Amino acid sequence: MSSKLHGSIIVTSRCNAKCNMCDVWQYPSRPEEEIGLDVYEKLPQMFFTNITGGEPFVRKDLPEIVALLRRKTKRIVISTNGFFTDRIIALCEKYPDLGIRISIEGAPETNDKIRGIPEGAARTERTLLKLREMGIRDIGFAMTVQDMNAKDLVGLYEKAEGFGYEFATATLHNSHYFCKTDNRIQDKEMVTGEFRRLIARLLRSNKPKQWFRAYFNHGLINYIYGKPRFLPCEMGQDGFFLDPYGDVLACNGMERKMPMGNLKTQSWDEIWNGSKARDVRHAVKLCQRNCWMIGSAAPAIWHHPLKPVWWVFSNKMQAMQGKPGN
């Protein structure tokens, strides 16, 4: 098994938000059918684990899930909308090394309109301030860029930089995971123009990590225009998703759900090394959706570094000369 195995643990499909780009809230899992600690105990050792949802902090037993997963992974990052301030603070008090990625969709008014949470931005701000007061270091923003918020992209990046926070980006995707098929970027020139402004800022940074984030955002522009991925998708080889029902998936971007197996009734080895897993991995290789999300793009950059390194080198040099990149 890969020493770089990374898992995305979808602990629930319940969510208090009603985002315009994700309809998962219309198809919530029921608490009684969500897998528990006995199933999570079957997971293997991992290099990195992202806990996501729905909204993970909806689950009252999230602290117990985190305690178990800490024995099985080197690093945990929780993706959240930041609404449940008290629960987030209590968990970070217990585990101050947790990573917290809060979804923010731009300026407060835009954020609340996209997320459908009245005064959601105010709650998020309160959560961030309390985390800062506590000295939590591994904090970041995550933004899904679309027509409604693209003009806020660079401003939110600058805010994150000012705080010393990580800044993650995505754009609209359709899949069984989001329960959506009609997400579209309407004004591609405007949206990709804002991505290019962000890329220019990232390339001017003195941090190499930001240069590779520029490459990732370059890939988002490529995806918006419907072009083939820059790098092959290898999900299901050293990365997986586990959904609230126990299904182990290679990827969350596929048009239909394709489980490798179910952890409630099977062992990890039976699933990961089984014939169904091989079939799913073959389907991933043939997949034409060209998704470009951090969960699949980051490992591809690790595994196929030559193309990203060359792009970074050539575009960094152009940025230093004040020229536009490619």
Side-chain angles (χ1 to χ4, degrees), residues 8 12 15 22 26 69 75 82 157 214 222 258 287 289 299 307:
S8 293
T12 184
C15 192
C22 176
Q26 296 194 55
L69 290 175
R75 180 168 177 247
Y157 161 72
N222 183 70
M258 295 183 67
C287 183
R289 294 176 68 79
K307 189 173 183 179

Side-chain angles (χ1 to χ4, degrees), residues 33-41 59 61 65 68 244 264:
E33 63 188 356
E34 293 169 353
I35 57 175
L37 298 181
D38 58 328
V39 180
Y40 290 121
E41 190 64 63
R59 278 196 71 153
D61 62 346
I65 295 171
L68 186 154
K264 287 193 295 187

